[in-house]
Amino acid sequence: MKTIWSDLIQRIIFISLTGFGLLGNIILFVRHVYTFIMGPENKNIDVILIHLAFVNTIIVYCIGVRNIVTIFYIRNFLGDVGCKTIVYLERVARGLSICTTCLLSVVQAVIISPRATIWRKLKPQTAWHVLAFLLLFWIFNSLISSNLLHYITAGRSMNRSEVGMFTGYCYMLPSRHTVKWPFLSLMTLRDVIFQGLMGWSSGSMVLHLYRHHKTVLYLYSSRSTNNCRPEIRATQRVLTLMTCFLIFYLADFIFSLYTGSTVTNDFTIPNMKALLVLSYAGLSPFVLIIWDVHIAKTCCVP
């Protein structure tokens, strides 16, 4: 009975997160495509958010398909090619989500930095500059995840004597240490560098908002106007997204290190890891959408 209820709750959670995640990211994608086409400025931020919504959609779809196939015991749905494609795209998209979120944070920090600072020179001048960064992210993350194409296989293709790490219907076969550790080291280095940059840019934005708040206290009569400046609204929204990101991805980073260094048939940890990634990818667009609605209502108050 306990197992039945556990399976039922797991199915409801994964289906709900998958459905809401796809809906939220599609809404965010369409909204920023519209503002990119029709809006007069902030094209760089729109491009980054469009890409982030697209990448998160890939994550939600891949994790959702893989886990729904697993928890509903659907057999012969994904062959070896299907497993390799789903798991590889999920891993690449996870890395792209980290890199894109970092780029969003850094660009927003540069936008609100004082004009006299050297960091203003790092601001992308056009959307093409942002696209160049995103292309580099795709190449880099595609390369450091390429080992999965060889070691991922469908569960039904495994021999009984083989031991693999369960990843939801699909299995990761054990790899040689000379192959595993270089890729794991690159993944770790990527996460440390980009999360470090996010920490720096988030701290910079918090400091700027603190200074802005002190200025508002001295200029109380213009408080409403200052709080509704576009760069302040955008900064508050990005900081909210950074908080969600750090909560989910720091936990995911720990699980990734564990699952990358061990091979086990235990599906509890991979399921927890999938739930963490799916939660961020599925819920983050609603954080942005709700924050936009809250700011719009606040700024409409005279």
Side-chain angles (χ1 to χ4, degrees), residues 286-299:
F286 290 102
V287 171
L288 296 174
I289 293 169
I290 292 172
W291 183 256
D292 283 345
V293 172
H294 169 72
I295 289 296
K297 290 181 178 179
T298 303
C299 292

Side-chain angles (χ1 to χ4, degrees), residues 13-29 52-64 93-94 97 101 241 244-245 248-249 273-290:
I13 291 174
F14 274 107
I15 291 174
S16 300
L17 285 174
T18 301
F20 281 113
L22 290 174
L23 176 63
N25 281 291
I26 290 172
I27 292 173
L28 189 68
F29 181 88
L52 184 61
F54 175 69
V55 167
N56 283 341
T57 301
I58 295 176
I59 294 175
V60 171
Y61 177 79
C62 291
I63 294 181
R94 176 193 176 276
S97 181
T101 306
L241 183 64
C244 295
F245 177 90
F248 286 111
Y249 267 86
K273 180 179 179 299
L275 182 62
L276 286 169
V277 179
L278 186 60
S279 297
Y280 171 75
L283 299 178
S284 59
F286 290 102
V287 171
L288 296 174
I289 293 169
I290 292 172

Side-chain angles (χ1 to χ4, degrees), residues 95-267:
L96 286 169
S97 181
I98 295 172
C99 296
T100 307
T101 306
C102 175
L103 181 62
L104 174 65
S105 179
V106 171
V107 169
Q108 187 60 47
V110 170
I111 288 174
I112 68 170
S113 63
R115 296 183 183 277
T117 60
I118 191 174
W119 300 112
R120 297 286 291 189
K121 297 180 180 179
L122 299 177
K123 178 184 174 182
Q125 299 302 314
T126 67
W128 289 107
H129 294 163
V130 175
L131 289 173
F133 279 109
L134 297 178
L135 178 60
L136 290 175
F137 292 160
W138 272 95
I139 295 172
F140 175 69
N141 285 285
S142 297
L143 290 176
I144 67 172
S145 302
S146 58
N147 64 315
L148 293 176
L149 295 174
H150 180 72
Y151 294 104
I152 291 293
T153 184
R156 60 185 177 83
S157 301
M158 290 182 61
N159 296 325
R160 293 184 179 273
S161 59
E162 292 179 306
V163 178
M165 184 182 71
F166 181 79
T167 60
Y169 185 85
C170 305
Y171 284 79
M172 179 183 292
L173 299 176
S175 58
R176 298 189 304 272
H177 289 291
T178 54
V179 174
K180 178 173 65 176
W181 288 110
F183 283 97
L184 187 61
S185 299
L186 286 172
M187 182 194 74
T188 303
L189 183 64
R190 176 202 62 197
D191 287 6
V192 169
I193 290 175
F194 282 96
Q195 291 193 23
L197 286 172
M198 273 187 277
W200 164 80
S201 56
S202 298
S204 175
M205 286 187 284
V206 169
L207 181 61
H208 178 84
L209 288 179
Y210 173 73
R211 290 172 177 170
H212 169 75
H213 178 69
K214 290 180 65 177
T215 303
V216 167
L217 293 179
Y218 284 107
L219 303 173
Y220 183 80
S221 61
S222 60
R223 181 177 181 179
S224 177
T225 302
N226 280 321
N227 281 338
C228 291
R229 285 165 52 194
E231 62 271 23
I232 296 300
R233 299 201 309 268
T235 301
Q236 292 170 336
R237 185 176 69 162
V238 170
L239 282 173
T240 304
L241 183 64
M242 292 303 102
T243 302
C244 295
F245 177 90
L246 290 174
I247 291 173
F248 286 111
Y249 267 86
L250 283 177
D252 172 63
F253 176 63
I254 296 172
F255 281 120
S256 294
L257 282 179
Y258 178 80
T259 55
S261 58
T262 59
V263 174
T264 176
N265 285 317
D266 183 15
F267 58 85

